[in-house]
Amino acid sequence: LFWIHLNMDYPFNLKGILYFPKINMEYESIEGTIKLYNNQVFIADNIKEVIPEFLMLLKGVIDCPDLPLNVSRSALQNDGFVNKIADYICKKVADKLAGMCKTEKEEYEKYWDDISPFIKFGCLKDEKFCDKMSDYMLFKNLEHKYLTFKECVEKNGKEDEETTLYYVTDEQQQSQYINMFKTEGLDAVILTHSIDTPFISQLEQRNEKVKFQRIDADLTDTFKQAVEEDEEETFKANTETLAELFRTALGNEKLDVKVEKLKNESVASMMTLSEEARRMQDMMKMYGMAGMDPSMFGTDTTLVLNANHPLVKYVLEHKEGEHTALFCKQLYDLALLSNKPLNPEEMTEFIKRS
């Protein structure tokens, strides 16, 4: 995509060039090779002590006459001079990226999707790099425009106030939620890479006033109509009735059911999954603990029913109806579909029932 030249005489001698490759496959082996030379004599590849870990995704060549020729790892680890080289390389990369963002914003935006996993990894691994890059991290919004973190916060709240930034991990999967957001004139950022989960956790630690929440984690008040005071009793009773009906129909006593009056009448039912529970699941997947029983942490999914939708009204009116259980299952599956793909058994059932 582009490259960075390194050239310095003091306090040590170093020349080099680093290439930024296009990394778009999440699973291809993305180990680059940076070859280390001493006066054009090859020493070794990818020496973690000289080249910061997150730069290992790059390809390139570094020639440094001041490096000892016989590089034993232990000698390098205790060599303060070597750490200085690593810091210098890191600083140069951050300066180049920041410079690009300032002067060639369009080019930088073009590269952003390809280089962002690498930059985020750098931020997680290296505080200094993170400080330097914090104003040059971009976020793609629903209109596919690129905003800096600061712009996102300003757009969604005020500085020094609690701000929630919504994000999308899969545009197709979460399209129902995205449409609701767009109808209400709200925005969200698109974060599709597996590194985004730890990265947004780090951003929240560094910016205490900012919280990230996936677009389907909860329904904000913007989407709901208020329940009138004189309806409150009935509404509460109806919610309980519906919750019971659905639990019985689905044979799931623990099912969490909420009833809301949604402004968008075409939405019958939705699933929301609490942010904490989902991040926990993502982390488990990432560390290969996917086999563990997620219910240990509580699934925290809530079935949200739209009181304004004819199907939901039908279920309420025909509590004992012969088709009521059928409708309950259908509404539940529709909600699930808006949240994640159904597993094969659920899918077969859904299609038969449809």
Side-chain angles (χ1 to χ4, degrees):
L1 296 166
F2 58 94
W3 58 86
I4 294 177
H5 277 144
L6 306 169
N7 192 357
M8 71 182 295
D9 313 321
Y10 176 83
F12 43 81
N13 229 324
L14 181 131
K15 281 191 180 63
I17 183 166
L18 298 176
Y19 294 95
F20 277 69
K22 188 179 169 82
I23 305 169
N24 53 2
M25 293 288 286
E26 226 173 287
Y27 301 110
E28 66 181 297
S29 148
I30 44 182
E31 181 91 8
T33 27
I34 296 182
K35 296 188 176 298
L36 216 52
Y37 288 81
N38 174 331
N39 273 329
Q40 300 175 15
V41 177
F42 176 65
I43 306 177
D45 285 338
N46 290 359
I47 294 196
K48 286 197 164 56
E49 284 71 23
V50 181
I51 298 148
E53 187 182 356
F54 68 95
L55 294 180
M56 292 290 184
L57 306 178
L58 303 186
K59 299 180 181 345
V61 180
I62 288 174
D63 191 330
C64 179
D66 298 340
L67 271 180
L69 265 172
N70 61 334
V71 278
S72 74
R73 283 286 160 95
S74 57
L76 278 177
Q77 273 166 343
N78 304 321
D79 194 336
F81 160 74
V82 168
N83 295 341
K84 283 200 183 94
I85 296 185
D87 282 352
Y88 166 75
I89 295 174
C90 212
K91 179 177 176 306
K92 279 305 258 191
V93 170
D95 289 349
K96 166 79 179 188
L97 293 167
M100 262 175 83
C101 186
K102 282 181 201 155
T103 55
E104 311 163 41
K105 187 93 189 299
E106 281 182 15
E107 285 297 298
Y108 187 68
E109 287 180 1
K110 245 188 258 164
Y111 299 140
W112 180 255
D113 287 353
D114 292 311
I115 61 172
S116 68
F118 152 88
I119 295 175
K120 288 168 184 173
F121 184 51
C123 288
L124 289 168
K125 286 284 176 199
D126 186 317
E127 284 290 319
K128 278 188 200 155
F129 182 75
C130 193
D131 294 338
K132 275 192 155 17
M133 287 305 298
S134 61
D135 291 340
Y136 310 106
M137 303 294 302
L138 299 183
F139 293 86
K140 187 159 63 169
N141 73 359
L142 295 177
E143 267 124 45
H144 290 208
K145 285 200 184 83
Y146 289 92
L147 308 170
T148 62
F149 180 64
K150 211 169 169 182
E151 288 168 341
C152 288
V153 175
E154 281 165 6
K155 198 171 172 184
N156 290 286
K158 293 187 178 65
E159 248 185 289
D160 300 330
E161 278 184 18
E162 297 277 330
T163 305
T164 304
L165 295 180
Y166 292 95
Y167 65 97
V168 173
T169 51
D170 183 331
E171 285 181 90
Q172 284 179 315
Q173 192 68 57
Q174 290 147 19
S175 58
Q176 184 186 14
Y177 301 87
I178 292 174
N179 291 337
M180 286 174 68
F181 260 60
K182 284 181 173 168
T183 313
E184 293 299 328
L186 296 175
D187 204 357
V189 293
I190 298 167
L191 299 173
T192 52
H193 201 281
S194 54
I195 198 157
D196 286 319
T197 304
F199 176 66
I200 56 181
S201 301
Q202 184 197 38
L203 267 178
E204 288 173 339
Q205 281 162 5
R206 292 174 71 104
N207 305 277
E208 287 175 3
K209 299 268 185 203
V210 178
K211 277 272 165 283
F212 277 86
Q213 189 164 307
R214 200 166 82 175
I215 201 163
D216 56 357
D218 197 8
L219 283 176
T220 54
D221 293 337
T222 331
F223 303 125
K224 307 174 194 167
Q225 294 172 350
V227 179
E228 303 298 325
E229 271 184 33
D230 52 346
E231 307 179 289
E232 268 180 26
E233 292 282 304
T234 343
F235 198 76
K236 214 170 153 193
N238 286 350
T239 304
E240 279 167 24
T241 314
L242 281 168
E244 270 316 302
L245 282 168
F246 273 81
R247 285 181 193 134
T248 317
L250 298 160
N252 176 358
E253 273 310 302
K254 290 186 179 152
L255 182 69
D256 211 355
V257 182
K258 254 189 188 167
V259 181
E260 301 288 1
K261 296 173 87 169
L262 298 183
K263 292 180 188 171
N264 186 338
E265 287 182 18
S266 62
V267 177
S269 54
M270 304 172 75
M271 272 295 169
T272 59
L273 172 59
S274 88
E275 186 66 22
E276 289 77 18
R278 215 199 54 260
R279 280 201 210 177
M280 195 74 202
Q281 286 174 14
D282 287 352
M283 292 304 260
M284 280 161 65
K285 266 188 217 138
M286 215 164 151
Y287 294 118
M289 294 153 60
M292 283 175 67
D293 181 14
S295 62
M296 276 170 44
F297 300 104
T299 46
D300 286 349
T301 47
T302 304
L303 172 66
V304 180
L305 299 171
N306 181 6
N308 291 334
H309 194 276
L311 262 184
V312 178
K313 289 177 182 163
Y314 177 92
V315 171
L316 248 184
E317 285 158 21
H318 303 75
K319 299 187 204 36
E320 306 297 320
E322 54 172 321
H323 301 305
T324 304
L326 196 72
F327 281 125
C328 290
K329 287 177 187 160
Q330 191 72 353
L331 282 166
Y332 181 72
D333 281 355
L334 284 169
L336 269 188
L337 268 173
S338 69
N339 190 270
K340 65 176 182 42
L342 297 178
N343 69 32
E345 292 81 34
E346 291 167 340
M347 199 63 199
T348 316
E349 270 297 292
F350 176 72
I351 290 170
K352 248 170 49 188
R353 192 184 323 119
S354 301

